[in-house]
Amino acid sequence: MINRILSLLLIGLLLLPIGCRRQSAPQTGTTKSSFETRYPNLKTQADELNQVTLKGDDARAADLTYPKLIEVMGGREQYIDNLKTVRDEMQSEKFSVLSATVGDPTDIVEVENQIYAIVPVTMRMKVPEGILVGRSSMIGVSNDAGKNWTFVTANRDQLKGETLKILFPAAADKLRIPEPTEPVLERQTPTP
């Protein structure tokens, strides 16, 4: 149930005609990494998706969600209804998201004038047993050289086989989606 909720929430929170160019993971340090210089809006817009989802701004979350995913899920209104259903389900289970933090992209691929980026996300969620920390990824997609991005959860369990090909027909075989990690429960220590 917790894995399902994390996956569903990340859905709302979130890929060259002649071959494919791949960039390696950016170097960390105090200077801007090459992806930040080349694609400055990627992390900003991924973070915006997380923040508007946490605030319940479903219309803006839909704006930042990959359009093909919205189409496959039955259209914008159905997608927004799904976001509300997930939020209601979480509240009924006494779950609340404390934070969703975007990391540095691990892979950037250009295919047929589209840019695809794998963006890691770390989510902290309050559950009755303590704090649950889950790590997943989103796939960011830009059709305008990195100015604007839309996102979809890169949950390998959901995006396999035909689903990946339906959403990303030109890039399905080029996307290296990381294995999901099991959420870790950080137990709360009782107060004296």
Side-chain angles (χ1 to χ4, degrees):
M1 175 70 153
I2 291 172
N3 282 337
R4 180 175 167 274
I5 289 175
L6 281 172
S7 296
L8 290 173
L9 184 59
L10 286 172
I11 286 173
L13 290 183
L14 10 191
L15 177 169
L16 299 164
I18 305 173
C20 167
R21 188 177 65 197
R22 194 177 287 277
Q23 297 178 352
S24 61
Q27 300 296 319
T28 58
T30 57
T31 61
K32 278 192 173 184
S33 62
S34 62
F35 87 87
E36 286 176 305
T37 302
R38 193 155 180 211
Y39 308 113
N41 296 335
L42 175 57
K43 280 181 68 175
T44 301
Q45 291 173 2
D47 185 57
E48 181 184 0
L49 174 58
N50 286 339
Q51 299 315 310
V52 299
T53 301
L54 293 176
K55 291 177 186 173
D57 185 350
D58 297 338
R60 182 63 182 144
D63 293 341
L64 292 164
T65 300
Y66 184 57
K68 184 70 174 180
L69 175 65
I70 290 175
E71 176 188 321
V72 167
M73 291 184 73
R76 184 179 174 89
E77 293 307 315
Q78 181 63 46
Y79 181 77
I80 289 172
D81 287 346
N82 287 342
L83 292 177
K84 183 180 180 330
T85 299
V86 169
R87 193 171 32 260
D88 291 347
E89 187 175 329
M90 288 176 58
Q91 288 174 351
S92 74
E93 296 289 331
K94 298 192 182 345
F95 296 165
S96 63
V97 178
L98 301 173
S99 66
T101 307
V102 174
D104 289 341
T106 59
D107 202 24
I108 295 176
V109 178
E110 294 181 23
V111 180
E112 296 179 3
N113 298 319
Q114 287 188 308
I115 304 166
Y116 302 82
I118 305 297
V119 182
V121 177
T122 301
M123 184 173 293
R124 296 177 59 79
M125 179 181 292
K126 185 169 179 14
V127 297
E129 299 81 12
I131 305 296
L132 188 67
V133 179
R135 290 174 180 79
S136 187
S137 298
M138 295 189 292
I139 300 171
V141 184
S142 177
N143 297 316
D144 59 5
K147 182 178 178 186
N148 295 292
W149 295 85
T150 57
F151 301 90
V152 63
T153 299
N155 183 324
R156 209 173 215 186
D157 293 337
Q158 294 172 342
L159 287 182
K160 55 184 165 183
E162 290 303 310
T163 304
L164 191 61
K165 290 177 186 173
I166 289 168
L167 290 175
F168 312 107
D173 62 337
K174 295 168 182 61
L175 294 171
R176 293 186 288 189
I177 300 171
E179 290 288 334
T181 60
E182 283 294 315
V184 175
L185 183 65
E186 298 175 350
R187 297 210 182 268
Q188 293 178 333
T189 56
T191 55

